[in-house]
């Protein structure tokens, strides 16, 4: 019911008062629906299809109960002797209505808030509910006390009577009109109608279960032995298939984490029942075969779904091996200490550092007799979320009651209609005469605002676009300038425009001069040059979306966008980096569409018809019954278009008005998610002028023509490489001259030479070369060279093979010597290196070498 929240609260109007739905849902927590129950339970799922009927101030309890009775008893023919009905503890009306419908009085039971009260959270729409249960067991054994306690009493439908708005202080305020929200599980009804005592034996799951068993080539006994895992895999395969089809990609935040968690849980269960490698894509094939006829996007995106699933499985198999080893080590350590609880901080580290989900930690730990301190895990997780919390939240947002109160008052006065502020954005109006309808200063509704104040202005109608759908809000001015005066009475500089609640648009800005009051005449004017830049980029976004799908595949799905005057940013689903060649093709194709000068057409139609005609609806966006379709490049004969999307933003009249289209960057924003940034119009032109000027300046520096600059640069690079080679050779000769002098500093110890000297070297490789040179000339010897490289002391030691059995070990030598320079190191007996922090101690460290040799000599 979340999309209907504002309707229940009276903040949004719909052109209908009744609705029914068949909704694909995904849930991993809630009543009886914690993830660990999926598999062991015969009826709980992460993905399911919810049937519902809704009333928005139309019918209430009587009709909701009558409709439910008619469907279940009269239409579906469920036996009344197996039906039980529950109502809220003090809901006498609901009990009476069930009895009037035909339910025996003894089968209508009362329960408290735990079972028969529904709310979407601590605040918001809520009310008493009435649940309908079906008894699966032996008729002679059923008792009233089994409802809401025994799994044989299956809840199949919940009728929620929306009556109240719960406030933060706990008070319940009656809703503007009592409403109804119901939910019935399709899978549960199917199990009853098909005579199955569990959902997994119905035709919704049976083919999936058969595919799992077939891929393993296992017996029915094996399947029964691992039944809970078979069921979890079957359920999870449906979830991951639909999530990926909707554009969700595996990740560590929000819905992306939910997908990763479910997919990895299925992968782990697959490993436990016999799968050696990735297998879930083959299970997803069955899901698409079964459900693709109704959810037609599944077959269209099948290749992308399979690829995404397989890549995540492969990624998980790599982390699973590491995570299981670390978890096993942790449990061994805890067991030795007599502990049976895995600290939440440790579980969080497994997830945060190694990608090992906490539910898998919980499952594996449970098999070994351990539990997880999930409270401290959640605390660590919440702390991490605080550090990386999205900055997209509106920092100036205030209590919604300020806006709802103002909207209700303006509608009551007739200043605003039922739809709220009238938008003139589709009428090509850059300015209009209006009046001040509302003022908000410092979170309070006020009658006037003075110079210097930060203000939010409400106008009855406005040409300003309020931020929505990724497009930023308009800026401009609102002022009062009577004809008989020389300067405006007051002026407000508008810096942003927002839709605070449905129907209420506010113009955010600063009072530059004067004092404005409620009822003042006003002239609203947008920054037209900025609006043009935004329109070019918004239409450019549609061009980019179409071209990405055309060039990379139909799996590409918009996952987020920013349409600003200076650039457009577009996030989309794609598992691989976009190559330079692909980006060049994308940019070229986009400019072909621009130059084709397609008219950009807009029209209003029903949501259902728009989708049937091929318009793209974006995942996560909220659409009403009437939607705006933006399209270009229509081909009536092929019943097709280059682009057709549902969009409420502002656009240019033809693609040619976009101007130049230039891709400036492509990057990753997460697993399976890419980002492209583009500039168009004036900024693209400025970029090209800047690049051409740079080309001219560079050509002048290289004393060549712009068309030959690459050849000149290549020639310069070759000359530079040759010079570098000559410099290196000269340095080696100089170093050899220096080392010849240093060679004379070697001392004799028991028949062999010991040399420890400081040298000038550019890097450790040069130090090794010097060490080899010294050793080759000294013969039987121990050589240690030291140098300061990048302000850090370094040591390299070498020992000839004949001294290895006499206690000389290069690794031990540099390890002990490096302690004097505040560091450490080691290596092979005949060659080793070390580093430190204290460059000033390098001479002392080198002086200690002969003493070390004498002390360790055998």
């Amino acid at each position: 019911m979340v999309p209907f929240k504002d309707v229940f609260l009276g903040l949004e109007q719909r052109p209908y008062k009744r609705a029914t739905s068949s909704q694909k849902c995904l849930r991993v927590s809630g009543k009886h629906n914690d993830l660990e129950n999926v598999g062991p339970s015969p009826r709980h799922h992460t993905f399911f299809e919810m049937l519902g009927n809704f009333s928005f101030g139309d019918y209430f309890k009587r009709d909701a109960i009558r409709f439910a009775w008619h469907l279940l008893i009269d239409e579906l023919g469920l036996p009344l002797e197996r039906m039980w009905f529950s109502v809220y503890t003090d809901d006498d009306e609901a009990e009476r209505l069930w009895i009037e419908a035909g339910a025996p009085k003894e089968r209508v039971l009362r329960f408290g808030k735990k079972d028969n009260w529904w709310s979407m959270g601590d605040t918001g729409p809520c009310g008493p509910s009435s649940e309908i249960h079906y008894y699966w067991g032996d008729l002679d054994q059923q008792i009233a006390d089994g409802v809401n306690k025994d799994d044989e009493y299956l809840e199949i439908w919940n009728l929620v009577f929306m009556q109240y708005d719960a406030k933060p202080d706990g008070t319940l305020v009656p809703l503007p009109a009592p409403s109804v929200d119901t939910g019935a599980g399709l899978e549960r009804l199917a199990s009853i109608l098909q005579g199955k005592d569990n959902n997994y034996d119905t035709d919704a799951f049976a083919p999936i279960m058969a595919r799992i068993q077939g891929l393993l080539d296992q017996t029915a006994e094996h399947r029964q032995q691992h039944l809970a895992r078979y069921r979890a895999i079957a359920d999870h395969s449906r979830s991951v298939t639909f999530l990926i089809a909707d554009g969700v990609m595996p990740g560590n935040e929000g819905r992306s984490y939910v997908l990763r968690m479910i997919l990895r849980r299925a992968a782990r269960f697959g490993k436990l029942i016999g799968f050696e490698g990735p297998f879930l894509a083959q299970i997803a094939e069955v899901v698409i075969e079964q459900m693709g006829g109704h959810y037609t996007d599944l077959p269209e995106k099948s290749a992308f779904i399979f690829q995404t699933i397989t890549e995540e499985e492969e990624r998980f198999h790599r982390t699973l091996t590491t995570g299981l080893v670390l978890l096993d080590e942790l449990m061994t350590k805890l067991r030795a200490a007599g502990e049976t609880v895995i600290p939440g901080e440790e579980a969080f580290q497994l997830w945060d550092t190694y990608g090992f989900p906490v539910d898998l930690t919980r499952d594996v730990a449970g098999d070994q007799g351990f539990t997880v301190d999930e409270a401290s895990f959640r605390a660590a997780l919440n702390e991490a979320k605080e550090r990386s919390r999205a900055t997209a939240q509106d920092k100036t947002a205030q209590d919604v009651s300020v806006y709802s109160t103002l909207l209700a008052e303006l509608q009551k006065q007739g200043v605003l209609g039922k739809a709220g502020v009238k938008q003139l954005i589709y009428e090509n109006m850059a300015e209009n005469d209006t009046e001040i309808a509302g003022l908000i200063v410092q979170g309070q509704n006020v009658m006037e605002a003075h110079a210097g104040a930060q203000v939010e202005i409400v106008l009855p109608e406005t040409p300003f676009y309020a931020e929505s759908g990724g497009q930023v809000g308009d800026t401009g001015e609102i002022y009062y300038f009577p004809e008989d005066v020389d300067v405006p009475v007051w002026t407000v500089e508008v810096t942003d425009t927002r839709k605070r609640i449905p129907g209420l648009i506010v113009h955010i800005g600063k009072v530059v001069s004067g004092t404005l009051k409620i009822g003042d005449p006003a002239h609203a004017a947008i920054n037209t040059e900025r609006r043009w830049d935004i329109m070019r980029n918004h239409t450019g976004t549609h061009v980019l979306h179409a071209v990405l799908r055309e060039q990379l595949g139909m799996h590409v799905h918009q996952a987020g966008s920013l349409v600003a005057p200076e650039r457009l940013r577009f996030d989309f689903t794609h598992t691989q980096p976009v190559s330079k060649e692909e980006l060049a093709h994308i940019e070229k194709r986009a400019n072909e569409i621009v130059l084709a000068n397609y008219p950009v057409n807009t029209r209003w139609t029903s949501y259902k018809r728009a989708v049937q005609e091929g318009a793209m609806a974006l995942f996560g966006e909220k659409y009403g019954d009437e939607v705006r379709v933006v399209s270009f490049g229509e081909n009536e004969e092929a019943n097709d278009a280059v682009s057709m999307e549902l969009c409420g933003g502002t656009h240019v009249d033809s693609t040619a008005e976009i101007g130049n289209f230039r891709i400036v960057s492509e990057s990753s924003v997460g697993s399976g998610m890419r980002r492209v940034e583009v500039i168009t119009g004036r900024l693209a032109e400025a970029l090209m002028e800047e690049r051409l000027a740079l080309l001219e300046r560079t050509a002048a520096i290289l004393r060549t023509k712009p068309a030959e600059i690459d050849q000149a640069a290549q020639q310069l690079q070759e000359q530079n490489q040759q010079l570098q080679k000559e410099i290196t050779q000269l340095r080696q000769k100089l170093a050899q001259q220096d080392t010849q002098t240093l060679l004379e500093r070697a001392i004799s110890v028991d028949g062999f030479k010991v040399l420890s000297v400081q040298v000038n070297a550019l890097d450790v490789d040069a130090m090794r070369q010097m060490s080899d040179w010294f050793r080759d000339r000294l013969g039987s010897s121990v050589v240690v060279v030291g140098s300061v490289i990048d302000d850090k002391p370094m040591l390299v030691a070498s020992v000839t093979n004949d001294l290895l059995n006499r206690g000389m070990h290069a690794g031990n030598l540099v390890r002990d010597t490096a302690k004097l320079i505040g560091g450490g190191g080691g290596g092979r007996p005949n060659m080793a290196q070390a580093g430190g922090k204290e460059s000033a101690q390098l001479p002392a460290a080198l002086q200690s070498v002969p003493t070390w040799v004498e002390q360790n000599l055998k």
Side-chain angles (χ1 to χ4, degrees):
M1 57 74 64
V2 174
F4 294 135
K5 175 186 175 183
D6 288 339
V7 183
F8 288 132
L9 290 172
L11 300 176
E12 181 182 344
Q13 300 293 325
R14 295 286 178 102
Y16 50 83
K17 291 187 175 182
R18 300 183 179 191
T20 59
S21 64
S22 177
Q23 191 177 16
K24 53 183 180 180
C25 302
L26 190 134
R27 184 170 64 182
V28 291
S29 63
K31 183 179 178 182
H32 307 310
N33 229 78
D34 293 324
L35 192 60
E36 59 265 26
N37 287 334
V38 179
S41 166
R43 301 184 182 96
H44 293 112
H45 304 290
T46 55
F47 175 86
F48 54 97
E49 293 180 271
M50 179 72 78
L51 309 177
N53 60 286
F54 305 85
S55 164
F56 309 113
D58 186 18
Y59 63 83
F60 197 47
K61 291 183 184 180
R62 175 177 296 278
D63 283 336
I65 290 173
R66 181 169 62 87
F67 292 158
W69 181 275
H70 176 71
L71 176 63
L72 296 176
I73 305 299
D74 299 336
E75 294 291 337
L76 300 182
L78 301 189
L80 181 57
E81 62 269 20
R82 292 188 176 276
M83 307 295 291
W84 293 85
F85 311 89
S86 65
V87 300
Y88 185 55
T89 183
D90 60 1
D91 196 344
D92 297 335
E93 181 186 10
E95 180 189 50
R96 174 174 54 80
L97 291 171
W98 278 119
I99 295 172
E100 289 180 6
K105 180 178 176 58
E106 65 275 10
R107 287 182 173 268
V108 183
L109 311 176
R110 295 182 184 235
F111 293 91
K113 277 199 170 183
K114 176 177 178 292
D115 295 297
N116 280 83
W117 184 273
W118 196 95
S119 62
M120 69 170 296
D122 295 332
T123 61
C126 60
S129 69
S130 179
E131 295 182 343
I132 305 167
H133 304 259
Y134 183 89
Y135 177 64
W136 263 111
D138 187 338
L139 284 174
D140 295 334
Q141 301 297 319
Q142 63 176 327
I143 54 174
D145 196 45
V147 177
N148 282 327
K149 294 181 181 179
D150 193 325
D151 283 345
E152 286 191 322
Y153 298 81
L154 177 65
E155 177 198 338
I156 58 174
W157 205 346
N158 188 17
L159 315 181
V160 180
F161 307 125
M162 290 291 185
Q163 292 179 251
Y164 305 104
D165 177 13
K167 297 299 182 181
D169 62 1
T171 59
L172 298 178
V173 177
L175 290 174
S179 301
V180 172
D181 159 31
T182 84
L186 177 63
E187 290 81 2
R188 295 188 177 191
L189 286 174
S191 69
I192 295 172
L193 295 173
Q194 295 176 27
K196 308 296 183 182
D197 62 0
N198 70 87
N199 294 355
Y200 293 96
D201 285 343
T202 66
D203 56 6
F205 287 94
I208 305 175
M209 299 282 282
R211 174 62 66 88
I212 298 170
Q213 184 178 342
L215 290 173
L216 289 170
D217 194 23
Q218 296 287 358
T219 63
E221 289 74 19
H222 176 273
R223 171 170 162 174
Q224 191 61 33
Q225 182 182 355
H226 299 281
L227 187 59
R229 289 164 179 164
Y230 267 76
R231 288 174 171 177
I233 293 170
D235 169 88
H236 294 358
S237 66
R238 301 205 314 168
S239 297
V240 300
T241 300
F242 275 91
L243 279 171
I244 295 170
D246 273 342
V248 180
M249 300 299 293
N252 288 336
E253 294 289 339
R255 62 181 65 141
S256 295
Y257 173 66
V258 171
L259 170 58
R260 171 164 284 173
M261 175 176 62
I262 293 173
L263 193 154
R264 292 187 170 191
R265 188 171 190 259
R268 175 175 174 265
F269 285 150
K271 189 176 180 67
L272 292 176
I273 66 175
F275 286 108
E276 295 297 329
F279 69 96
L280 278 171
Q282 299 176 77
I283 311 300
E285 285 180 351
V286 185
V287 177
I288 294 175
E289 290 169 4
Q290 278 191 288
M291 310 186 79
H294 295 286
Y295 298 103
T296 55
D297 58 329
L298 295 181
E300 294 173 358
K301 300 174 181 176
S302 59
F304 178 68
I305 293 170
F306 300 151
Q307 180 183 5
T308 303
I309 290 174
T310 301
E311 287 180 357
E312 181 63 19
E313 273 193 279
E314 290 171 344
R315 192 178 294 111
F316 176 58
H317 278 286
R318 293 193 294 269
T319 62
L320 181 64
T321 302
T322 303
L324 286 174
V325 170
L326 293 171
L327 183 56
D328 186 62
E329 291 176 353
L330 175 61
M331 290 189 294
T332 300
K333 180 180 176 181
L334 292 172
R335 192 179 290 109
E339 301 288 341
T340 59
V341 179
I342 294 176
E345 295 80 2
E346 298 283 358
F348 176 75
Q349 185 178 6
L350 282 172
W351 171 76
D352 189 45
T353 306
Y354 302 100
F356 200 80
V358 67
D359 70 297
L360 295 190
T361 300
R362 185 193 309 119
D363 290 345
V364 176
D367 293 341
Q368 300 293 322
F370 283 83
T371 59
V372 177
D373 183 354
E374 297 199 36
S376 58
F377 170 84
R378 286 191 294 270
L381 179 62
N382 290 334
E383 183 179 345
K385 285 182 177 179
E386 285 297 326
R387 290 195 298 267
S388 60
R389 187 173 298 277
T391 59
Q393 294 179 342
D394 184 2
K395 295 179 182 178
T396 64
Q398 300 145 4
D399 186 354
V400 71
S401 64
V402 174
Y403 304 106
S404 58
T405 300
L406 178 58
L407 176 62
E409 182 63 27
L410 293 177
Q411 289 175 327
K412 180 180 179 181
Q413 295 172 6
V415 177
L416 299 181
K418 286 187 177 181
V421 176
K422 182 180 180 182
Q423 300 183 70
L424 307 174
I425 54 176
Y426 305 132
E427 300 175 18
N428 294 322
M429 292 185 65
E431 53 188 301
N432 76 299
D433 290 316
T434 180
E435 64 177 285
I436 302 298
L439 292 171
I440 298 174
V441 175
Q442 295 183 347
Q444 301 293 322
N445 290 313
V446 298
M447 296 301 294
E448 59 184 41
H450 306 283
Q454 296 292 328
V455 66
E456 297 181 43
I457 300 175
V458 178
L459 306 174
E461 54 185 21
T462 178
F464 283 73
Y465 181 86
E467 179 178 332
S468 179
Q471 178 175 329
V472 298
D474 277 333
T475 63
E477 280 189 333
I478 302 174
Y479 55 87
Y480 176 32
F481 202 156
E483 294 181 359
D484 57 347
V485 299
D486 296 329
V487 294
V489 175
W490 51 259
T491 301
V492 174
E493 180 186 356
V494 178
T495 56
D496 199 3
T497 309
R498 299 285 183 94
K499 184 181 292 185
R500 292 302 193 193
I501 60 175
L504 192 72
I505 293 173
V506 299
H507 306 76
I508 304 169
K510 180 180 181 180
V511 184
V512 177
S513 63
T515 298
L516 64 157
K517 303 176 181 179
I518 298 293
D520 276 358
H523 187 81
I526 67 170
N527 182 332
T528 54
E529 191 171 70
R530 181 177 182 271
R531 166 74 80 81
W532 267 104
D533 289 335
I534 294 172
M535 292 194 301
R536 292 186 187 101
N537 283 336
H538 203 154
T539 309
T541 301
H542 288 222
V543 171
L544 178 61
H545 197 182
V547 174
L548 288 171
R549 289 169 62 85
E550 177 186 298
Q551 299 290 319
L552 302 180
M554 298 304 288
H555 64 273
V556 168
H557 186 100
Q558 180 175 333
S561 70
L562 171 67
V563 180
E566 65 275 3
R567 76 188 193 284
L568 71 89
R569 187 184 71 212
F570 191 82
D571 297 345
F572 61 98
T573 53
H574 190 58
T575 58
Q576 302 295 328
V578 185
S579 68
K580 290 183 179 179
E581 292 77 14
E582 288 174 321
L583 284 174
H585 286 303
I586 290 166
E587 187 175 87
K588 180 181 178 183
R589 175 62 179 138
N591 279 299
E592 288 175 354
I593 294 173
V594 170
L595 291 174
N597 196 22
Y598 292 122
V600 177
N601 302 308
T602 60
R603 59 189 172 89
W604 291 88
T605 185
S606 69
Y607 175 83
K608 182 177 181 180
R609 181 173 180 179
V611 173
Q612 287 175 343
E613 292 176 351
M616 287 192 63
L618 302 182
F619 181 69
E621 285 294 322
K622 180 180 177 182
Y623 299 103
D625 284 341
E626 291 294 311
V627 294
R628 183 168 177 260
V629 179
V630 177
S631 62
F632 50 81
E634 277 87 353
N635 185 337
E636 295 183 3
E637 294 181 2
N639 192 26
D640 196 9
V642 171
S643 173
M644 185 186 300
E645 295 191 32
L646 306 186
C647 181
T650 59
H651 291 269
V652 294
D653 293 328
S654 70
T655 59
E657 292 178 330
I658 295 172
N660 218 315
F661 183 103
R662 294 295 167 203
I663 296 174
V664 294
S665 69
E666 190 275 341
S667 61
S668 170
V669 287
S671 176
M673 204 76 69
R674 309 299 300 180
R675 170 173 291 173
V676 169
E677 294 200 6
V678 172
I679 58 175
T680 67
R682 294 188 303 147
L683 269 75
E685 187 119 351
L687 177 66
M688 291 181 65
E689 290 176 358
E690 177 188 327
R691 297 286 171 83
L692 285 172
L694 177 62
L695 184 66
E696 294 284 353
R697 292 196 303 272
T698 306
I701 293 171
L702 295 176
R703 297 180 181 179
T704 188
K705 299 176 182 178
E708 298 173 356
I709 195 171
D710 56 338
Q711 300 173 13
Q714 184 177 356
Q715 184 180 7
L716 187 64
Q717 186 178 31
E718 291 172 353
Q719 292 173 355
N720 183 59
Q721 291 173 347
Q722 180 62 34
L723 289 172
Q724 288 295 330
K725 186 182 296 184
E726 293 176 4
I727 290 171
T728 301
Q729 291 172 351
L730 288 171
R731 283 177 174 171
Q732 289 175 346
K733 288 180 180 180
L734 289 172
Q736 288 177 3
Q737 292 175 3
D738 292 341
T739 53
Q740 185 64 44
T741 303
L742 294 172
L743 194 64
E744 299 172 358
R745 295 169 59 178
I747 64 174
S748 295
V749 176
D750 201 20
F752 60 91
K753 299 291 186 180
V754 176
L755 178 65
S756 56
V757 292
Q758 184 167 343
V759 299
N760 293 318
L762 295 176
D763 52 37
V764 176
D765 286 339
M767 293 175 67
R768 290 197 193 98
Q769 291 177 7
M770 291 182 183
S771 176
D772 291 343
W773 191 88
F774 285 132
R775 184 192 59 210
D776 292 344
R777 280 153 182 76
L778 291 173
S780 179
S781 59
V782 174
V783 177
V784 179
V785 296
S787 185
V788 178
I789 299 173
D790 295 331
D791 297 327
K792 293 184 179 179
M794 298 295 298
L795 295 168
V796 172
S798 62
V799 174
T800 54
N801 291 334
D802 63 303
L803 299 178
L804 298 181
N805 59 359
R806 299 191 64 189
M808 298 297 98
H809 189 290
N812 296 340
L813 172 56
V814 295
R815 180 195 63 203
D816 295 341
T817 308
K819 293 177 182 178
L820 298 176
I821 57 174
R828 302 190 307 274
N830 59 354
M831 175 65 75
Q833 71 182 57
K837 302 176 183 177
E838 301 172 18
S839 300
Q841 297 302 313
L842 183 59
L846 291 168
Q847 290 174 10
S848 73
V849 171
T851 303
W852 186 94
V853 170
E854 292 175 352
Q855 291 175 348
N856 289 275
L857 183 64
K858 293 181 182 178

